[in-house]
Amino acid sequence: MPELSTDLIITAPAEQIWEVIGRRFDRIGDWATAIIHSTAIPDAPAAADSALPIAAAATDAPVAGRVCQTGIRLVPQVTETLIAYDDANRTLTYQASGMPPFVTLARNTWTVTAIDAHRSRVSLRARFDTRGLLGLLGRWAILTQTRRSSRHLTEDLRHYLQTGQPSPRKQRQQRRAAARITTR
């Protein structure tokens, strides 16, 4: 299946971006409009020959992964488990579960690279494999949604890095979610 790839150029030091994307991986719901809410998943069960959880032993990551509420009917909640994490090279790979049955693989790699002291490249490489006719139709719908939300991702991340606050779009989303909770 084809790979979806995006490169974002952001006016911020690579280390500052990595702090948000990598070290606070579980907090994407704080700033990305595509994710209504996110929380860390508990560490994976301990491996038989190790006292460390499998995910932490394999990745050295600050968390094993995250659970994201997406607001997308087809995929309202997804668990993204880190399968590779390299703090020194500012790169991580996660794999999604909780996808519809026609999805056979949903994996994404993010890499942050310094261009100079004040600008960085954030590279996203996603692989999304499906099976069957339903998979073909579902992939089209999910990829269309992903392309649209990736445009917002750039704006959301830039705003968050520059101001320390969620983008106006994300703030509106948070206010709507809070209003729904108080009216229940």
Side-chain angles (χ1 to χ4, degrees), residues 56-87:
T59 65
D60 250 353
V63 295
R66 62 190 176 204
V67 177
C68 299
Q69 306 300 321
T70 68
I72 301 169
R73 279 196 183 124
L74 189 57
V75 188
Q77 179 176 299
V78 64
T79 299
E80 298 173 337
T81 304
L82 284 164
I83 59 173
Y85 183 92
D86 185 341
D87 194 62

Short mmCIF file of all heavy atoms in Angstrom, two decimals, residues 56-87:
data_model
loop_
_atom_site.label_atom_id
_atom_site.label_comp_id
_atom_site.label_asym_id
_atom_site.label_seq_id
_atom_site.Cartn_x
_atom_site.Cartn_y
_atom_site.Cartn_z
N ALA A 56 8.31 -0.11 27.24
CA ALA A 56 9.38 0.73 27.73
C ALA A 56 10.75 0.12 27.44
O ALA A 56 11.69 0.81 27.09
CB ALA A 56 9.22 0.98 29.22
N ALA A 57 10.87 -1.20 27.57
CA ALA A 57 12.15 -1.85 27.30
C ALA A 57 12.51 -1.72 25.83
O ALA A 57 13.67 -1.53 25.48
CB ALA A 57 12.07 -3.33 27.69
N ALA A 58 11.53 -1.81 24.95
CA ALA A 58 11.80 -1.77 23.52
C ALA A 58 12.03 -0.36 23.01
O ALA A 58 12.72 -0.16 22.03
CB ALA A 58 10.64 -2.41 22.75
N THR A 59 11.46 0.62 23.66
CA THR A 59 11.48 1.96 23.08
C THR A 59 12.17 3.02 23.93
O THR A 59 12.48 4.07 23.42
CB THR A 59 10.04 2.44 22.81
OG1 THR A 59 9.37 2.58 24.05
CG2 THR A 59 9.30 1.51 21.89
N ASP A 60 12.36 2.80 25.20
CA ASP A 60 12.92 3.83 26.08
C ASP A 60 12.07 5.11 26.10
O ASP A 60 12.56 6.18 26.36
CB ASP A 60 14.35 4.18 25.68
CG ASP A 60 15.34 3.69 26.69
OD1 ASP A 60 14.92 3.20 27.75
OD2 ASP A 60 16.55 3.80 26.42
N ALA A 61 10.82 4.97 25.77
CA ALA A 61 9.92 6.10 25.66
C ALA A 61 9.38 6.51 27.03
O ALA A 61 9.33 5.70 27.95
CB ALA A 61 8.76 5.73 24.74
N PRO A 62 8.95 7.76 27.16
CA PRO A 62 8.38 8.21 28.43
C PRO A 62 7.04 7.55 28.75
O PRO A 62 6.64 7.50 29.91
CB PRO A 62 8.23 9.71 28.27
CG PRO A 62 8.35 9.98 26.81
CD PRO A 62 9.06 8.83 26.19
N VAL A 63 6.32 7.09 27.73
CA VAL A 63 5.05 6.37 27.89
C VAL A 63 5.02 5.21 26.89
O VAL A 63 5.76 5.22 25.91
CB VAL A 63 3.82 7.28 27.66
CG1 VAL A 63 3.73 8.37 28.71
CG2 VAL A 63 3.80 7.85 26.26
N ALA A 64 4.16 4.25 27.14
CA ALA A 64 4.02 3.11 26.22
C ALA A 64 3.22 3.50 24.98
O ALA A 64 3.37 2.90 23.92
CB ALA A 64 3.34 1.95 26.93
N GLY A 65 2.39 4.52 25.09
CA GLY A 65 1.56 4.96 23.98
C GLY A 65 0.45 5.86 24.48
O GLY A 65 0.53 6.40 25.59
N ARG A 66 -0.57 6.00 23.67
CA ARG A 66 -1.68 6.89 24.03
C ARG A 66 -3.00 6.34 23.49
O ARG A 66 -3.03 5.58 22.52
CB ARG A 66 -1.44 8.29 23.48
CG ARG A 66 -1.36 8.35 21.97
CD ARG A 66 -0.87 9.71 21.49
NE ARG A 66 -0.70 9.73 20.03
CZ ARG A 66 0.09 10.55 19.39
NH1 ARG A 66 0.80 11.45 20.06
NH2 ARG A 66 0.17 10.52 18.07
N VAL A 67 -4.08 6.75 24.14
CA VAL A 67 -5.43 6.47 23.67
C VAL A 67 -6.00 7.81 23.23
O VAL A 67 -6.00 8.77 24.01
CB VAL A 67 -6.31 5.83 24.77
CG1 VAL A 67 -7.73 5.62 24.27
CG2 VAL A 67 -5.70 4.54 25.26
N CYS A 68 -6.47 7.87 21.99
CA CYS A 68 -6.97 9.12 21.42
C CYS A 68 -8.46 9.02 21.10
O CYS A 68 -8.90 8.05 20.49
CB CYS A 68 -6.21 9.44 20.12
SG CYS A 68 -4.45 9.66 20.33
N GLN A 69 -9.19 10.03 21.52
CA GLN A 69 -10.58 10.21 21.11
C GLN A 69 -10.54 11.09 19.87
O GLN A 69 -10.05 12.22 19.95
CB GLN A 69 -11.39 10.89 22.22
CG GLN A 69 -11.31 10.23 23.56
CD GLN A 69 -11.81 8.80 23.55
OE1 GLN A 69 -12.79 8.48 22.89
NE2 GLN A 69 -11.11 7.94 24.26
N THR A 70 -11.04 10.60 18.73
CA THR A 70 -10.86 11.32 17.47
C THR A 70 -12.04 12.15 17.01
O THR A 70 -11.87 13.08 16.25
CB THR A 70 -10.52 10.33 16.34
OG1 THR A 70 -11.68 9.53 16.08
CG2 THR A 70 -9.33 9.47 16.68
N GLY A 71 -13.23 11.77 17.40
CA GLY A 71 -14.40 12.46 16.89
C GLY A 71 -14.78 12.00 15.48
O GLY A 71 -15.68 12.56 14.86
N ILE A 72 -14.11 10.98 14.97
CA ILE A 72 -14.41 10.42 13.64
C ILE A 72 -15.29 9.20 13.85
O ILE A 72 -14.91 8.29 14.58
CB ILE A 72 -13.11 10.03 12.90
CG1 ILE A 72 -12.21 11.25 12.74
CG2 ILE A 72 -13.43 9.39 11.56
CD1 ILE A 72 -10.82 10.91 12.25
N ARG A 73 -16.45 9.17 13.22
CA ARG A 73 -17.41 8.07 13.45
C ARG A 73 -16.80 6.70 13.17
O ARG A 73 -17.03 5.76 13.89
CB ARG A 73 -18.64 8.26 12.59
CG ARG A 73 -19.60 9.22 13.18
CD ARG A 73 -20.96 9.11 12.52
NE ARG A 73 -21.79 10.13 13.10
CZ ARG A 73 -22.41 11.05 12.42
NH1 ARG A 73 -22.33 11.08 11.11
NH2 ARG A 73 -23.14 11.96 13.02
N LEU A 74 -16.04 6.59 12.09
CA LEU A 74 -15.47 5.31 11.71
C LEU A 74 -14.42 4.83 12.70
O LEU A 74 -14.26 3.64 12.92
CB LEU A 74 -14.85 5.43 10.30
CG LEU A 74 -14.40 4.15 9.63
CD1 LEU A 74 -15.54 3.15 9.51
CD2 LEU A 74 -13.83 4.46 8.24
N VAL A 75 -13.72 5.77 13.31
CA VAL A 75 -12.64 5.45 14.27
C VAL A 75 -12.74 6.43 15.44
O VAL A 75 -11.92 7.33 15.58
CB VAL A 75 -11.25 5.55 13.60
CG1 VAL A 75 -10.17 5.03 14.53
CG2 VAL A 75 -11.20 4.83 12.28
N PRO A 76 -13.73 6.28 16.32
CA PRO A 76 -13.92 7.25 17.41
C PRO A 76 -12.82 7.21 18.47
O PRO A 76 -12.55 8.21 19.11
CB PRO A 76 -15.27 6.88 18.00
CG PRO A 76 -15.46 5.44 17.64
CD PRO A 76 -14.76 5.23 16.33
N GLN A 77 -12.22 6.04 18.64
CA GLN A 77 -11.13 5.91 19.61
C GLN A 77 -10.06 5.00 19.02
O GLN A 77 -10.37 3.98 18.41
CB GLN A 77 -11.64 5.30 20.92
CG GLN A 77 -10.53 5.11 21.95
CD GLN A 77 -11.07 4.61 23.27
OE1 GLN A 77 -11.88 5.27 23.89
NE2 GLN A 77 -10.61 3.44 23.70
N VAL A 78 -8.83 5.39 19.18
CA VAL A 78 -7.73 4.59 18.67
C VAL A 78 -6.62 4.56 19.73
O VAL A 78 -6.39 5.55 20.42
CB VAL A 78 -7.21 5.14 17.32
CG1 VAL A 78 -6.63 6.53 17.45
CG2 VAL A 78 -6.21 4.21 16.68
N THR A 79 -6.00 3.41 19.87
CA THR A 79 -4.85 3.27 20.76
C THR A 79 -3.61 3.24 19.90
O THR A 79 -3.52 2.46 18.95
CB THR A 79 -4.96 1.97 21.59
OG1 THR A 79 -6.16 2.05 22.38
CG2 THR A 79 -3.76 1.79 22.50
N GLU A 80 -2.66 4.11 20.21
CA GLU A 80 -1.42 4.21 19.45
C GLU A 80 -0.27 3.79 20.37
O GLU A 80 0.05 4.49 21.32
CB GLU A 80 -1.23 5.63 18.93
CG GLU A 80 -2.36 6.02 17.98
CD GLU A 80 -2.36 7.46 17.54
OE1 GLU A 80 -1.78 8.32 18.25
OE2 GLU A 80 -2.95 7.74 16.49
N THR A 81 0.31 2.64 20.07
CA THR A 81 1.38 2.06 20.89
C THR A 81 2.72 2.35 20.25
O THR A 81 2.93 2.08 19.06
CB THR A 81 1.18 0.54 21.02
OG1 THR A 81 -0.12 0.30 21.56
CG2 THR A 81 2.22 -0.07 21.93
N LEU A 82 3.63 2.91 21.03
CA LEU A 82 4.97 3.18 20.53
C LEU A 82 5.70 1.86 20.30
O LEU A 82 5.75 1.01 21.19
CB LEU A 82 5.76 4.04 21.52
CG LEU A 82 5.35 5.51 21.52
CD1 LEU A 82 5.87 6.21 22.76
CD2 LEU A 82 5.83 6.21 20.26
N ILE A 83 6.23 1.68 19.10
CA ILE A 83 7.00 0.48 18.80
C ILE A 83 8.48 0.81 18.59
O ILE A 83 9.32 -0.09 18.57
CB ILE A 83 6.42 -0.29 17.59
CG1 ILE A 83 6.39 0.57 16.34
CG2 ILE A 83 5.03 -0.82 17.93
CD1 ILE A 83 5.98 -0.19 15.09
N ALA A 84 8.80 2.09 18.43
CA ALA A 84 10.19 2.55 18.35
C ALA A 84 10.24 3.98 18.85
O ALA A 84 9.34 4.77 18.56
CB ALA A 84 10.70 2.46 16.92
N TYR A 85 11.29 4.29 19.60
CA TYR A 85 11.43 5.63 20.16
C TYR A 85 12.92 5.90 20.32
O TYR A 85 13.62 5.15 21.01
CB TYR A 85 10.72 5.72 21.51
CG TYR A 85 10.75 7.09 22.13
CD1 TYR A 85 9.73 8.00 21.90
CD2 TYR A 85 11.80 7.48 22.95
CE1 TYR A 85 9.74 9.26 22.47
CE2 TYR A 85 11.82 8.75 23.53
CZ TYR A 85 10.79 9.63 23.29
OH TYR A 85 10.81 10.88 23.85
N ASP A 86 13.41 6.94 19.67
CA ASP A 86 14.83 7.31 19.74
C ASP A 86 14.92 8.78 20.11
O ASP A 86 14.80 9.66 19.26
CB ASP A 86 15.50 7.02 18.40
CG ASP A 86 17.00 7.25 18.41
OD1 ASP A 86 17.52 7.95 19.31
OD2 ASP A 86 17.66 6.74 17.50
N ASP A 87 15.14 9.03 21.40
CA ASP A 87 15.17 10.39 21.90
C ASP A 87 16.34 11.17 21.30
O ASP A 87 16.18 12.33 20.92
CB ASP A 87 15.26 10.37 23.43
CG ASP A 87 14.96 11.71 24.06
OD1 ASP A 87 13.82 12.20 23.89
OD2 ASP A 87 15.86 12.28 24.71
#
